[in-house]
Amino acid sequence: MPPDALLAILGMAAVTFAVRAGGYLVANRLPASGFVAAWMRHIPGAVLAALVAPAVVAGGPAEWLATLATALAFLVSRNLLAAMAAGVVAVYFARMLLGG
C-alpha cells in the first residue's frame, strides 16, 4: 500500500474518531428536556427528509409512487424501518414496471 494512501486512511480514521468522541462528550452536557432537547430529537427526521426530498421532486412517477407507499406504510405501521423498506421495494418495482 502506498504511504499516501495509508496516511489518508489513518487521517480519516482519526477525524472520524474525533467527531464521534466529541459527539459523546457534548451529548452528556445537553439538556434532557426543554427546547434544545426537543430540537435535537427532530434532527434525524429533518436530515432524512433533506436527503430524500430532492429525489422525490426531481423524480418521476416511480419515485412519487414510492413516496406514497412509504407514507402509507409509516401511517399504518408507525415504524420508520418498515416504511423505508416499503419505499425501497416500491421504487424498485415501480421502476421495473414503468421503465424508470
XYZ file of all heavy atoms in Angstrom:
704
model
N 0.858 -1.178 0.000
C 0.000 0.000 0.000
C 0.901 1.236 0.000
O 1.816 1.331 0.818
C -0.911 -0.021 1.231
C -1.773 1.207 1.346
S -2.879 1.228 2.756
C -3.973 -0.087 2.406
N 0.609 2.184 -0.883
C 1.426 3.407 -0.924
C 1.300 4.200 0.384
O 0.247 4.204 1.030
C 0.820 4.197 -2.081
C -0.019 3.248 -2.851
C -0.393 2.146 -1.917
N 2.377 4.849 0.775
C 2.350 5.626 2.023
C 1.280 6.721 2.023
O 0.692 7.013 3.067
C 3.746 6.236 2.121
C 4.588 5.503 1.155
C 3.688 4.862 0.152
N 1.018 7.321 0.868
C -0.007 8.373 0.799
C -1.382 7.813 1.135
O -2.160 8.457 1.848
C -0.047 8.993 -0.597
C 1.211 9.783 -0.919
O 1.988 10.037 0.021
O 1.391 10.140 -2.090
N -1.687 6.625 0.627
C -2.982 6.005 0.889
C -3.106 5.654 2.367
O -4.154 5.877 2.978
C -3.166 4.762 0.028
N -2.057 5.097 2.942
C -2.081 4.752 4.368
C -2.261 5.997 5.220
O -3.053 5.993 6.178
C -0.800 4.018 4.753
C -0.709 3.553 6.195
C -1.848 2.594 6.525
C 0.635 2.893 6.457
N -1.575 7.054 4.870
C -1.706 8.315 5.607
C -3.124 8.873 5.492
O -3.688 9.353 6.476
C -0.684 9.331 5.093
C -0.613 10.653 5.841
C -0.211 10.417 7.289
C 0.381 11.584 5.169
N -3.713 8.788 4.310
C -5.089 9.266 4.122
C -6.064 8.450 4.958
O -6.974 8.997 5.593
C -5.467 9.209 2.648
N -5.901 7.127 4.970
C -6.786 6.259 5.753
C -6.650 6.555 7.238
O -7.644 6.667 7.960
C -6.497 4.782 5.448
C -6.933 4.454 4.023
C -7.182 3.872 6.449
C -6.485 3.095 3.529
N -5.430 6.691 7.711
C -5.217 6.992 9.138
C -5.776 8.369 9.499
O -6.358 8.542 10.578
C -3.731 6.912 9.475
C -3.121 5.508 9.439
C -1.620 5.575 9.672
C -3.790 4.615 10.468
N -5.622 9.333 8.604
C -6.178 10.660 8.857
C -7.694 10.635 8.928
O -8.302 11.253 9.810
N -8.331 9.914 8.000
C -9.799 9.813 8.019
C -10.280 9.089 9.273
O -11.299 9.463 9.859
C -10.297 9.112 6.756
C -10.165 9.967 5.512
S -10.855 9.215 4.042
C -9.639 7.970 3.680
N -9.538 8.066 9.695
C -9.907 7.343 10.915
C -9.806 8.262 12.130
O -10.685 8.249 13.006
C -9.014 6.122 11.092
N -8.763 9.062 12.190
C -8.594 9.986 13.314
C -9.708 11.025 13.350
O -10.248 11.332 14.419
C -7.227 10.667 13.234
N -10.060 11.565 12.191
C -11.130 12.557 12.144
C -12.467 11.919 12.537
O -13.238 12.505 13.291
C -11.203 13.203 10.733
C -12.468 14.023 10.564
C -9.977 14.058 10.503
N -12.737 10.720 12.032
C -13.979 10.030 12.386
C -14.043 9.789 13.890
O -15.075 10.021 14.529
C -14.077 8.683 11.630
O -14.068 8.954 10.238
C -15.337 7.939 12.001
N -12.954 9.316 14.474
C -12.929 9.091 15.918
C -13.135 10.391 16.682
O -13.898 10.435 17.655
C -11.600 8.452 16.330
C -11.497 8.235 17.805
C -12.152 7.183 18.416
C -10.768 9.107 18.596
C -12.076 6.992 19.783
C -10.687 8.936 19.963
C -11.341 7.867 20.568
N -12.493 11.463 16.249
C -12.626 12.750 16.943
C -14.060 13.260 16.884
O -14.585 13.766 17.888
C -11.668 13.780 16.336
N -14.716 13.111 15.736
C -16.098 13.576 15.607
C -17.008 12.773 16.521
O -17.863 13.325 17.225
C -16.562 13.493 14.135
C -18.059 13.668 14.016
C -15.837 14.537 13.306
N -16.830 11.458 16.535
C -17.683 10.626 17.393
C -17.417 10.873 18.876
O -18.348 10.970 19.667
C -17.491 9.155 17.052
C -18.098 8.807 15.724
C -17.900 7.361 15.393
N -18.465 7.079 14.099
C -19.356 6.135 13.875
N -19.772 5.384 14.863
N -19.833 5.953 12.675
N -16.161 10.948 19.258
C -15.824 11.208 20.657
C -16.348 12.580 21.082
O -16.883 12.735 22.185
C -14.312 11.123 20.862
N -16.209 13.563 20.208
C -16.742 14.890 20.513
C -18.246 14.864 20.685
O -18.799 15.534 21.561
N -18.930 14.086 19.855
C -20.382 13.955 19.991
C -20.776 13.372 21.333
O -21.733 13.826 21.964
N -20.060 12.351 21.774
C -20.360 11.754 23.082
C -20.105 12.740 24.213
O -20.868 12.810 25.173
C -19.531 10.490 23.304
C -20.025 9.312 22.515
C -19.176 8.632 21.667
C -21.341 8.875 22.612
C -19.620 7.554 20.933
C -21.797 7.795 21.886
C -20.922 7.137 21.050
O -21.366 6.069 20.317
N -19.027 13.502 24.111
C -18.720 14.472 25.160
C -19.764 15.586 25.210
O -20.162 16.020 26.295
C -17.328 15.061 24.941
C -16.166 14.093 25.131
C -14.859 14.746 24.714
C -16.098 13.607 26.569
N -20.211 16.046 24.057
C -21.208 17.114 24.010
C -22.583 16.587 24.433
O -23.335 17.282 25.114
C -21.260 17.735 22.597
C -22.429 18.680 22.444
C -19.963 18.471 22.310
N -22.911 15.376 24.048
C -24.227 14.820 24.345
C -24.480 14.741 25.846
O -25.622 14.912 26.291
C -24.369 13.438 23.717
N -23.465 14.491 26.613
C -23.635 14.415 28.074
C -23.962 15.775 28.687
O -24.492 15.843 29.781
C -22.380 13.847 28.723
C -22.197 12.384 28.417
O -23.168 11.673 28.151
N -20.960 11.925 28.437
N -23.653 16.838 27.983
C -23.883 18.183 28.522
C -25.171 18.827 28.012
O -25.524 19.910 28.427
C -22.693 19.065 28.182
C -21.434 18.638 28.913
C -20.259 19.530 28.553
N -19.114 19.310 29.400
C -18.248 18.329 29.275
N -18.410 17.432 28.331
N -17.218 18.217 30.087
N -25.871 18.172 27.080
C -27.114 18.725 26.546
C -28.266 18.509 27.526
O -28.304 17.498 28.222
C -27.454 18.077 25.208
C -26.508 18.409 24.067
C -26.862 17.578 22.840
C -26.562 19.878 23.733
N -29.217 19.426 27.562
C -30.353 19.250 28.468
C -31.245 18.094 28.010
O -31.370 17.803 26.825
C -31.102 20.582 28.358
C -30.652 21.187 27.087
C -29.286 20.668 26.810
N -31.860 17.414 28.986
C -32.732 16.276 28.689
C -34.166 16.724 28.412
O -34.982 15.921 27.958
C -32.706 15.297 29.854
N -34.486 17.972 28.715
C -35.832 18.476 28.448
C -35.730 19.928 27.996
O -34.673 20.547 28.079
C -36.697 18.358 29.709
O -36.151 19.162 30.731
N -36.830 20.430 27.489
C -36.858 21.810 27.036
C -36.708 21.927 25.534
O -36.755 20.939 24.796
N -36.513 23.159 25.094
C -36.468 23.459 23.666
C -35.322 22.755 22.960
O -35.499 22.173 21.889
C -36.364 24.974 23.458
C -36.175 25.359 22.016
C -37.252 25.320 21.138
C -34.929 25.725 21.535
C -37.088 25.662 19.806
C -34.759 26.067 20.210
C -35.845 26.027 19.339
N -34.130 22.800 23.514
C -32.966 22.200 22.857
C -33.145 20.693 22.725
O -32.841 20.114 21.683
C -31.663 22.541 23.615
C -30.482 21.788 23.049
C -31.402 24.035 23.578
N -33.659 20.046 23.758
C -33.883 18.600 23.701
C -34.910 18.256 22.629
O -34.725 17.303 21.859
C -34.340 18.083 25.058
N -35.978 19.021 22.540
C -36.995 18.775 21.515
C -36.415 19.014 20.120
O -36.688 18.242 19.190
C -38.200 19.675 21.749
N -35.628 20.046 19.987
C -34.990 20.353 18.716
C -34.053 19.221 18.290
O -34.064 18.799 17.130
C -34.244 21.675 18.856
C -33.549 22.152 17.626
C -34.124 22.635 16.491
C -32.135 22.193 17.409
N -33.155 22.977 15.583
C -31.917 22.718 16.127
C -31.037 21.844 18.190
C -30.656 22.894 15.593
C -29.787 22.027 17.662
C -29.595 22.550 16.380
N -33.277 18.702 19.205
C -32.333 17.625 18.899
C -33.057 16.331 18.505
O -32.560 15.573 17.679
C -31.421 17.354 20.100
C -30.466 18.487 20.424
S -29.228 18.770 19.160
C -28.175 17.377 19.424
N -34.217 16.076 19.082
C -34.978 14.871 18.737
C -35.492 14.925 17.306
O -35.740 13.887 16.704
C -36.138 14.673 19.707
C -35.738 14.018 21.009
C -36.949 13.592 21.807
N -37.774 14.715 22.226
C -37.584 15.434 23.323
N -36.567 15.163 24.117
N -38.391 16.426 23.625
N -35.653 16.116 16.746
C -36.192 16.250 15.397
C -35.113 16.296 14.311
O -35.444 16.271 13.119
C -37.064 17.512 15.307
C -38.347 17.365 16.035
N -38.472 17.638 17.373
C -39.556 16.925 15.624
C -39.719 17.405 17.754
N -40.393 16.966 16.708
N -33.863 16.354 14.676
C -32.786 16.453 13.690
C -32.721 15.228 12.767
O -32.617 15.399 11.550
C -31.434 16.730 14.372
C -31.429 18.166 14.884
C -30.272 16.507 13.415
C -30.172 18.549 15.618
N -32.786 13.983 13.267
C -32.683 12.844 12.341
C -33.771 12.847 11.262
O -33.482 12.581 10.090
C -32.812 11.623 13.247
C -32.360 12.103 14.582
C -32.814 13.529 14.657
N -34.991 13.151 11.617
C -36.067 13.208 10.629
C -35.860 14.321 9.617
O -36.124 14.152 8.422
N -35.353 15.444 10.087
C -35.098 16.568 9.178
C -33.973 16.242 8.203
O -34.052 16.573 7.016
C -34.747 17.818 9.991
N -32.945 15.566 8.675
C -31.841 15.177 7.797
C -32.329 14.169 6.758
O -32.001 14.275 5.575
C -30.659 14.615 8.618
C -29.621 13.962 7.728
C -30.030 15.710 9.461
N -33.120 13.195 7.201
C -33.662 12.204 6.274
C -34.532 12.872 5.208
O -34.412 12.573 4.017
C -34.456 11.151 7.029
C -35.004 10.000 6.198
C -33.888 9.238 5.517
C -35.828 9.079 7.065
N -35.380 13.789 5.628
C -36.232 14.499 4.668
C -35.393 15.325 3.694
O -35.689 15.374 2.502
C -37.220 15.395 5.411
N -34.334 15.946 4.186
C -33.474 16.749 3.318
C -32.734 15.887 2.301
O -32.433 16.339 1.199
C -32.465 17.530 4.157
N -32.452 14.642 2.647
C -31.782 13.751 1.717
C -32.747 13.180 0.674
O -32.376 12.960 -0.471
C -31.118 12.602 2.467
C -29.917 12.970 3.327
C -29.481 11.785 4.160
C -28.774 13.461 2.470
N -33.987 12.939 1.070
C -34.957 12.284 0.194
C -35.708 13.291 -0.683
O -36.030 12.986 -1.840
C -35.946 11.447 1.035
C -37.078 10.916 0.195
C -35.207 10.305 1.711
N -35.989 14.468 -0.177
C -36.821 15.438 -0.895
C -36.311 15.767 -2.303
O -37.116 15.797 -3.231
C -36.970 16.712 -0.059
N -35.028 16.002 -2.517
C -34.590 16.302 -3.884
C -34.868 15.166 -4.872
O -35.214 15.414 -6.022
C -33.082 16.542 -3.744
C -32.899 16.952 -2.329
C -33.937 16.195 -1.552
N -34.732 13.926 -4.419
C -35.007 12.780 -5.305
C -36.487 12.700 -5.645
O -36.856 12.354 -6.770
C -34.541 11.489 -4.654
N -37.332 13.034 -4.684
C -38.777 12.994 -4.932
C -39.173 14.110 -5.898
O -39.931 13.888 -6.852
C -39.564 13.113 -3.613
C -41.046 13.255 -3.867
C -39.288 11.915 -2.729
N -38.662 15.303 -5.674
C -39.020 16.455 -6.511
C -38.487 16.270 -7.935
O -39.191 16.553 -8.906
C -38.485 17.763 -5.881
C -38.639 18.929 -6.832
C -39.213 18.040 -4.575
N -37.266 15.788 -8.059
C -36.664 15.631 -9.382
C -37.075 14.324 -10.056
O -36.855 14.158 -11.248
C -35.144 15.688 -9.269
N -37.670 13.420 -9.283
C -38.026 12.111 -9.822
C -39.293 12.138 -10.641
O -39.929 13.170 -10.847
N -39.637 10.962 -11.106
C -40.835 10.807 -11.920
C -41.876 9.982 -11.201
O -41.876 9.904 -9.968
N -42.743 9.345 -11.948
C -43.837 8.578 -11.358
C -43.380 7.458 -10.416
O -44.030 7.204 -9.408
C -44.554 7.996 -12.578
C -44.218 8.909 -13.695
C -42.844 9.421 -13.402
N -42.272 6.806 -10.726
C -41.789 5.732 -9.851
C -41.444 6.276 -8.458
O -41.809 5.673 -7.437
C -40.572 5.052 -10.470
N -40.776 7.409 -8.424
C -40.401 7.995 -7.125
C -41.624 8.506 -6.379
O -41.697 8.418 -5.149
C -39.383 9.118 -7.333
C -38.003 8.632 -7.727
C -37.887 8.199 -9.178
O -38.768 8.542 -10.002
O -36.923 7.514 -9.500
N -42.589 9.044 -7.112
C -43.803 9.544 -6.462
C -44.615 8.385 -5.886
O -45.164 8.495 -4.786
C -44.639 10.362 -7.431
C -43.886 11.533 -8.009
C -42.859 12.223 -7.420
C -44.083 12.124 -9.285
N -42.407 13.211 -8.260
C -43.138 13.185 -9.407
C -44.954 11.886 -10.331
C -43.057 13.977 -10.542
C -44.868 12.693 -11.461
C -43.934 13.709 -11.560
N -44.703 7.283 -6.607
C -45.407 6.107 -6.080
C -44.688 5.546 -4.858
O -45.331 5.138 -3.883
C -45.527 5.029 -7.162
C -46.519 5.305 -8.275
C -46.374 4.270 -9.378
C -47.936 5.314 -7.730
N -43.376 5.525 -4.906
C -42.611 5.043 -3.764
C -42.788 5.957 -2.553
O -42.878 5.479 -1.418
C -41.138 4.933 -4.122
N -42.865 7.249 -2.790
C -43.100 8.187 -1.688
C -44.462 7.938 -1.055
O -44.599 7.921 0.178
C -43.014 9.635 -2.195
O -41.736 9.837 -2.788
C -43.223 10.626 -1.077
N -45.461 7.727 -1.888
C -46.800 7.418 -1.387
C -46.801 6.106 -0.615
O -47.386 6.027 0.476
C -47.794 7.362 -2.551
C -49.240 7.077 -2.190
C -49.802 8.186 -1.312
C -50.069 6.928 -3.447
N -46.130 5.085 -1.139
C -46.056 3.799 -0.449
C -45.341 3.933 0.894
O -45.759 3.335 1.897
C -45.341 2.773 -1.319
N -44.299 4.731 0.925
C -43.554 4.947 2.169
C -44.424 5.639 3.210
O -44.464 5.236 4.381
C -42.292 5.785 1.903
O -41.512 5.140 0.910
C -41.470 5.972 3.160
N -45.126 6.679 2.788
C -46.001 7.412 3.716
C -47.116 6.514 4.238
O -47.412 6.518 5.437
C -46.581 8.636 3.026
N -47.720 5.729 3.359
C -48.793 4.832 3.787
C -48.271 3.754 4.736
O -48.920 3.435 5.739
C -49.475 4.190 2.582
C -50.318 5.122 1.731
C -50.819 4.404 0.476
C -51.491 5.669 2.534
N -47.102 3.210 4.422
C -46.518 2.187 5.305
C -46.229 2.762 6.682
O -46.446 2.100 7.698
C -45.244 1.625 4.682
N -45.754 4.011 6.725
C -45.482 4.614 8.025
C -46.777 4.890 8.794
O -46.846 4.678 10.001
C -44.668 5.898 7.891
C -44.332 6.490 9.232
C -43.352 5.924 10.014
C -45.011 7.591 9.725
C -43.042 6.435 11.261
C -44.719 8.119 10.969
C -43.727 7.538 11.740
N -47.798 5.371 8.096
C -49.064 5.654 8.765
C -49.689 4.378 9.333
O -50.291 4.402 10.405
C -50.038 6.334 7.809
C -49.686 7.773 7.438
C -50.628 8.282 6.354
C -49.732 8.666 8.663
N -49.532 3.271 8.620
C -50.105 2.010 9.082
C -49.267 1.397 10.206
O -49.807 0.953 11.220
C -50.239 1.012 7.908
C -50.562 -0.384 8.395
C -51.284 1.507 6.936
N -47.959 1.377 10.032
C -47.104 0.656 10.983
C -46.488 1.524 12.077
O -46.104 1.004 13.122
C -45.962 -0.032 10.233
O -45.049 0.927 9.718
N -46.342 2.807 11.827
C -45.633 3.731 12.734
C -44.211 3.256 13.001
O -43.636 3.489 14.064
C -46.374 3.900 14.070
C -47.705 4.559 13.954
C -47.562 6.007 13.634
N -48.878 6.619 13.539
C -49.086 7.786 13.018
N -48.081 8.478 12.546
N -50.280 8.288 12.941
N -43.646 2.581 12.007
C -42.302 2.029 12.116
C -41.478 2.600 10.962
O -41.763 2.321 9.792
C -42.369 0.505 12.047
C -41.014 -0.144 12.238
O -40.002 0.351 11.771
N -41.005 -1.261 12.935
N -40.457 3.362 11.285
C -39.652 4.019 10.259
C -38.908 3.015 9.392
O -38.815 3.179 8.180
C -38.669 5.005 10.901
C -37.858 5.871 9.958
C -38.760 6.699 9.055
C -36.919 6.763 10.730
N -38.385 1.957 9.998
C -37.662 0.950 9.222
C -38.592 0.256 8.230
O -38.220 0.048 7.067
C -37.001 -0.070 10.142
C -36.143 -1.132 9.458
C -35.006 -0.485 8.674
C -35.602 -2.105 10.478
N -39.799 -0.086 8.666
C -40.770 -0.715 7.763
C -41.157 0.235 6.637
O -41.304 -0.187 5.479
C -42.006 -1.146 8.551
N -41.315 1.505 6.946
C -41.669 2.486 5.926
C -40.546 2.635 4.905
O -40.802 2.699 3.699
C -41.978 3.832 6.575
N -39.310 2.690 5.370
C -38.181 2.804 4.454
C -38.072 1.565 3.572
O -37.807 1.672 2.373
C -36.888 3.038 5.241
C -36.833 4.419 5.863
S -35.496 4.686 7.038
C -34.072 4.225 6.142
N -38.278 0.394 4.156
C -38.238 -0.843 3.370
C -39.346 -0.842 2.319
O -39.116 -1.232 1.165
C -38.365 -2.051 4.292
N -40.529 -0.398 2.699
C -41.638 -0.330 1.743
C -41.311 0.626 0.609
O -41.613 0.350 -0.556
C -42.918 0.102 2.454
N -40.672 1.731 0.906
C -40.292 2.689 -0.122
C -39.257 2.139 -1.084
O -39.353 2.328 -2.300
N -38.265 1.430 -0.550
C -37.230 0.843 -1.400
C -37.839 -0.211 -2.324
O -37.572 -0.245 -3.528
C -36.096 0.236 -0.543
C -35.155 -0.607 -1.383
C -35.332 1.340 0.174
N -38.684 -1.077 -1.750
C -39.332 -2.117 -2.563
C -40.251 -1.478 -3.606
O -40.267 -1.881 -4.774
C -40.103 -3.104 -1.658
C -40.990 -4.033 -2.472
C -39.130 -3.899 -0.806
N -40.990 -0.453 -3.193
C -41.918 0.198 -4.113
C -41.190 0.873 -5.271
O -41.613 0.762 -6.422
C -42.774 1.223 -3.361
N -40.099 1.560 -5.006
C -39.387 2.229 -6.098
C -38.729 1.201 -7.013
O -38.665 1.383 -8.234
C -38.372 3.282 -5.576
C -37.083 2.654 -5.099
C -38.065 4.303 -6.650
N -38.279 0.095 -6.460
C -37.683 -0.956 -7.282
C -38.707 -1.507 -8.273
O -38.445 -1.566 -9.477
C -37.145 -2.072 -6.384
C -36.633 -3.267 -7.159
C -35.404 -3.216 -7.805
C -37.377 -4.430 -7.245
C -34.944 -4.303 -8.529
C -36.925 -5.521 -7.968
C -35.705 -5.452 -8.599
O -35.250 -6.534 -9.308
N -39.880 -1.903 -7.753
C -40.893 -2.471 -8.633
C -41.515 -1.419 -9.569
O -41.819 -1.710 -10.722
C -41.981 -3.182 -7.823
C -41.512 -4.510 -7.309
C -41.387 -4.737 -5.941
C -41.170 -5.535 -8.173
C -40.953 -5.959 -5.459
C -40.724 -6.764 -7.709
C -40.612 -6.970 -6.348
N -41.666 -0.207 -9.085
C -42.216 0.842 -9.932
C -41.277 1.142 -11.097
O -41.712 1.349 -12.225
C -42.489 2.107 -9.120
N -39.985 1.154 -10.827
C -39.021 1.390 -11.912
C -39.004 0.226 -12.901
O -38.832 0.428 -14.093
C -37.626 1.619 -11.343
C -37.466 2.993 -10.727
C -36.087 3.201 -10.162
N -35.943 4.532 -9.596
C -34.901 4.915 -8.895
N -33.895 4.084 -8.669
N -34.843 6.128 -8.401
N -39.174 -1.001 -12.377
C -39.231 -2.162 -13.270
C -40.465 -2.082 -14.168
O -40.383 -2.313 -15.375
C -39.274 -3.458 -12.472
C -37.915 -3.924 -12.037
S -37.893 -5.507 -11.147
C -39.204 -6.442 -11.854
N -41.611 -1.746 -13.561
C -42.856 -1.723 -14.313
C -42.978 -0.514 -15.232
O -43.517 -0.606 -16.327
C -44.049 -1.769 -13.360
C -44.201 -3.063 -12.557
C -45.291 -2.906 -11.513
C -44.505 -4.223 -13.482
N -42.492 0.635 -14.763
C -42.623 1.868 -15.535
C -41.413 2.150 -16.428
O -41.413 3.129 -17.170
C -42.874 3.057 -14.606
C -44.141 2.979 -13.746
C -44.163 4.117 -12.750
C -45.369 2.987 -14.621
N -40.391 1.341 -16.276
C -39.200 1.540 -17.108
C -38.367 2.732 -16.724
O -37.816 3.414 -17.559
N -38.290 3.030 -15.421
C -37.543 4.209 -14.985
C -36.204 3.941 -14.621
O -35.229 3.619 -14.576
